[in-house]
Amino acid sequence: MKISSLFENKLVKGVFVVATGTAGAQLITILCSPIITRLYGPELFGLLGSFTALATILLPLMTFSYSMAVILPKKESTAIQLAILSLVFALGWSLVIFIVLYSSNDILLGYFSLSELDAIEIIISVYVLLLAALEVFTYLALRKKYFSLNSKVLLFQSLLSNGLKLGLGSTLDSPITLIAITTFVTAVSVIIYFCAFRRSITEAPIKVIHTHYYRALAYKFKDFFKYRTPQRLLAGLNQSLPIILLASLFGAPAAGFFTLCRSILTMPLNLIAKSVSDVLYPNISERFVSGIPIFGLLLKSTLVLALIGVIPMIILILFSPWLFSAVFGSEWHQAGVYAQWFSVWLFFNFINRPCVAAVAVLKFEKVLLVNSIFNTGLVLSAFYLGGALGSDVAAVALFSIAGIIPQLIIIGGVLLKAKRHSQYKSC
């Protein structure tokens, strides 16, 4: 069977549109990175990594994951109401986060090495609010299958972000520069999405002012609050812990090495994975609601991604220290050493995207939550042992190897449940 026959024509077109925009955005970032890494250095990258790590931890709280539910309702008006509900939650949480950070006397920010930055409490509060709004609009676009809109926004983000980094790097190389640029680019992206969806939101039914309606709506999709939000909190914590622990155990440069390593590696290997995931999620939902089996689609998608990802993984294991030194400068050699180990973890994260996309549809959130708790324990154990050994490389290696286990659990569990559902439907 040809790879192209694994997806219907509409899926292929959707994947191609998303992949084209994502590829363009990532190509711009990759081309600009050798200059940017020479302008800012590992320590400043470490501060940006700590900033984004904190935002990643907070983001799932902002909307209680109701933003992800906007794809599911049959009625367009219900989806818009879910989007509005998500934005209201995000605004409230943004105020709470500012108050907590401002009143903590830099104690909380000290764990992220951010306490010395001016006005950082305001910047973090605004940034997580913008990220939440960006997430809401992205899922609205996926619901409407506006794949080209998402692609254009990604391309614009990359152009603006890298342009500002290159333009300001020689004159404003302060610790806050990269953080300010990241926040500004996110704000502009939200404005673009709002302009695209302004009519849909402003023409929403008058129910917008009825709190009883919103309570009923929140209860109807309560699984996103009960299961997906804790799971995403743990996933965000698992994603951020390496940077936080590397910074606290081995210093900001180690966090910077890992930040560059992860950002560069996730771009090419996750290009197709994210594109496939974004297109599969609404199509899996439609198939499931219509009673069409989804096991075959999930299995074939996973196998295709495995075939695509294995060769880059082997190349990175063999040559990444030399590649990082040659491309980004000799001071980034250690990031290449990290990449040798991290590429193994990334391969399994790459191939699990179809199964992760099916979690909400198959109501697999409970298992995903337990699995995330298990993964958190593995991450903490890996870095604890790495710290005890006094080796940042050992910490990254242990983290990468241990992180394979939870990803295999998700792939196997989702495929098994999808197969059982398919057998049930065929009876």
Side-chain angles (χ1 to χ4, degrees):
M1 181 180 292
K2 296 181 179 180
I3 291 178
S4 59
S5 66
L6 297 177
F7 305 99
E8 292 89 353
N9 288 335
K10 290 183 179 179
L11 280 176
V12 172
K13 291 178 181 178
V15 171
F16 178 77
V17 170
V18 176
T20 301
T22 307
Q26 294 183 352
L27 179 61
I28 293 169
T29 300
I30 291 173
L31 292 176
C32 294
S33 292
I35 303 174
I36 293 173
T37 52
R38 288 170 170 83
L39 290 174
Y40 295 96
E43 186 172 358
L44 295 186
F45 267 81
L47 292 173
L48 176 63
S50 296
F51 173 78
T52 55
L54 177 57
T56 300
I57 294 172
L58 295 173
L59 179 59
L61 282 176
M62 300 302 292
T63 66
F64 290 123
S65 297
Y66 284 112
S67 55
M68 302 179 69
V70 300
I71 290 181
L72 300 180
K74 293 182 178 180
K75 294 183 178 179
E76 183 68 18
S77 59
T78 305
I80 296 298
Q81 299 297 337
L82 276 171
I84 294 173
L85 178 66
S86 300
L87 293 173
V88 171
F89 280 137
L91 180 60
W93 269 114
S94 179
L95 295 173
V96 171
I97 289 168
F98 171 74
I99 293 171
V100 171
L101 292 178
Y102 186 80
S103 61
S104 66
N105 296 320
D106 295 334
I107 295 175
L108 293 176
L109 292 172
Y111 290 107
F112 296 85
S113 302
L114 298 171
S115 57
E116 301 299 323
L117 300 181
D118 296 332
I120 192 63
E121 299 91 348
I122 297 176
I123 296 175
I124 291 173
S125 304
V126 171
Y127 181 61
V128 291
L129 174 60
L130 292 171
L131 279 182
L134 190 63
E135 183 178 76
V136 170
F137 287 131
T138 299
Y139 278 107
L140 272 177
L142 290 177
R143 172 187 173 82
K144 292 177 172 291
K145 299 184 179 179
Y146 290 170
F147 303 124
S148 61
L149 175 61
N150 283 344
S151 296
K152 290 175 182 177
V153 171
L154 283 174
L155 188 61
F156 173 79
Q157 282 180 321
S158 183
L159 283 169
L160 183 59
S161 177
N162 288 287
L164 289 173
K165 288 174 183 177
L166 292 173
L168 300 176
S170 59
T171 57
L172 296 175
D173 58 345
S174 68
I176 202 69
T177 302
L178 290 175
I179 292 174
I181 290 172
T182 301
T183 304
F184 175 75
V185 171
T186 306
V188 176
S189 302
V190 170
I191 293 172
I192 293 173
Y193 271 119
F194 179 77
C195 291
F197 289 103
R198 180 177 57 184
R199 178 174 296 180
S200 298
I201 294 176
T202 55
E203 292 181 356
I206 197 65
K207 292 175 184 177
V208 68
I209 63 173
H210 293 167
T211 56
H212 293 297
Y213 172 81
Y214 279 102
R215 289 178 184 174
L217 188 64
Y219 181 80
K220 181 178 180 180
F221 295 93
K222 64 182 183 300
D223 281 355
F224 285 87
F225 167 69
K226 290 173 59 178
Y227 303 117
R228 184 51 75 93
T229 298
Q231 183 274 322
R232 292 180 71 209
L233 276 171
L234 287 169
L237 183 62
N238 292 336
Q239 181 180 346
S240 301
L241 273 177
I243 293 175
I244 298 169
L245 294 175
L246 283 170
S248 61
L249 292 173
F250 304 103
F257 292 139
F258 189 84
T259 299
L260 180 69
C261 164
R262 185 168 66 182
S263 64
I264 292 298
L265 294 192
T266 54
M267 281 190 278
L269 284 182
N270 282 354
L271 167 61
I272 298 176
K274 185 181 186 306
S275 303
V276 171
S277 177
D278 286 350
V279 176
L280 276 178
Y281 184 22
N283 280 276
I284 289 172
S285 178
E286 289 180 6
R287 281 170 171 251
F288 190 84
V289 171
S290 302
I292 302 173
I294 62 174
F295 171 75
L297 180 61
L298 291 176
L299 179 61
K300 293 172 183 177
S301 302
T302 303
L303 291 176
V304 169
L305 292 180
L307 290 173
I308 295 171
V310 67
I311 294 177
M313 179 184 67
I314 294 173
I315 293 174
L316 287 169
I317 290 173
L318 295 176
F319 304 111
S320 56
W322 176 81
L323 288 171
F324 272 73
S325 297
V327 175
F328 305 110
S330 58
E331 63 179 336
W332 293 97
H333 177 271
Q334 190 76 343
V337 177
Y338 289 1
Q340 288 180 298
W341 294 101
F342 185 69
S343 61
V344 179
W345 178 93
L346 189 63
F347 171 77
F348 288 93
N349 183 261
F350 175 74
I351 69 173
N352 76 2
R353 296 304 177 88
C355 291
V356 171
V359 164
V361 176
L362 291 171
K363 298 187 182 299
F364 207 62
E365 285 88 353
K366 290 182 180 179
V367 176
L368 193 63
L369 175 58
V370 174
N371 196 53
S372 295
I373 296 173
F374 174 58
N375 189 48
T376 303
L378 290 176
V379 172
L380 290 171
S381 300
F383 279 95
Y384 173 78
L385 290 175
L389 294 172
S391 171
D392 54 331
V393 176
V396 173
L398 291 169
F399 156 75
S400 301
I401 295 172
I404 295 173
I405 301 172
Q407 300 188 72
L408 289 175
I409 292 174
I410 288 299
I411 294 173
V414 168
L415 288 176
L416 181 61
K417 188 163 186 176
K419 185 175 183 179
R420 290 175 177 173
H421 179 265
S422 300
Q423 292 173 341
Y424 172 77
K425 287 293 183 181
S426 63
C427 294

